[in-house]
Amino acid sequence: MDSSAQFVEWAVVGSDIGPLLLAATGQGLVNVVFHADEAVRDRAVRGLAARFGTDPAPAVPGRAGPLGEPIRQLGAYFDGRLRDFTLPLDWSLASGFNRQVLRELAAGVPYGTVVGYGDLADRVGRPGAAQAVGAAMGANPLPVVVPCHRVVESDGGLGGFGGGLETKRQLLALEGVLPQPLF
């Protein structure tokens, strides 16, 4: 194995917004992928293999490993018992401006609140870079945990979302930002 290769473990877990693929390295949670059916899962695992130079291993159920705590915290989040993730994160799938914006989002936009794309651009010292912030949200390798669903348009619109607008609505309703659907 290449000396620069890193161990990567993955698992698919059920959630209120459908199956999520979670992947972790020794540094922490590195990837969350929405709608992780078999085709999406296989594509994500191939992408991780190419990026990290190793074949990601499926997590062994019941064995303590790097995904145990992320799985536990995501379950608590969807059950309404967790508002702040306290996970080690591996930021290696984000760099430059994207990483800067995502770190600000994770640190500065708490549960149950939203921020505009332009406001987030201002926070990282790049006024007028709302579109670049939108691109950073679309490239977020750690959605839900790094809450790109909390970034909305300044006029009150939802904006885009890599997991689909219905998923964004569900996450914002879970956090009390939007009303729960009637049916």
Side-chain angles (χ1 to χ4, degrees):
M1 178 163 55
D2 178 333
S3 62
S4 66
Q6 186 171 173
F7 176 78
V8 180
E9 182 174 280
W10 64 271
V12 174
V13 298
S15 79
D16 292 357
I17 56 171
L20 298 172
L21 179 133
L22 308 179
T25 67
Q27 302 300 309
L29 187 67
V30 72
N31 205 196
V32 176
V33 179
F34 292 116
H35 313 299
D37 61 20
E38 188 175 344
V40 169
R41 178 201 70 204
D42 291 348
R43 188 169 47 253
V45 169
R46 282 193 308 273
L48 289 164
R51 171 61 180 85
F52 289 103
T54 186
D55 285 330
V60 177
R63 180 182 67 81
L67 288 174
E69 190 60 14
I71 290 168
R72 187 193 72 71
Q73 286 193 28
L74 278 161
Y77 169 80
F78 284 110
D79 288 346
R81 297 179 288 113
L82 180 85
R83 291 175 169 236
D84 297 306
F85 290 98
T86 56
L87 297 169
L89 301 178
D90 179 336
W91 291 96
S92 61
L93 296 179
S95 62
F97 178 76
N98 287 6
R99 185 184 294 190
Q100 180 186 12
V101 169
L102 292 170
R103 282 180 178 267
E104 173 59 32
L105 173 64
V109 184
Y111 183 99
T113 66
V114 293
V115 65
Y117 292 96
D119 294 333
L120 194 51
D122 290 346
R123 288 186 189 192
V124 297
R126 296 277 303 273
Q131 284 186 318
V133 166
M137 296 304 102
N140 181 4
L142 294 161
V144 182
V145 175
V146 176
C148 52
H149 59 277
R150 296 180 190 154
V151 184
V152 298
E153 295 175 345
S154 59
D155 66 2
L158 286 181
F161 193 64
L165 289 182
E166 184 54 33
T167 299
K168 188 171 188 171
R169 279 188 198 94
Q170 287 178 276
L171 291 168
L172 291 172
L174 171 71
E175 295 188 10
V177 174
L178 292 176
Q180 292 285 349
L182 295 176
F183 47 87

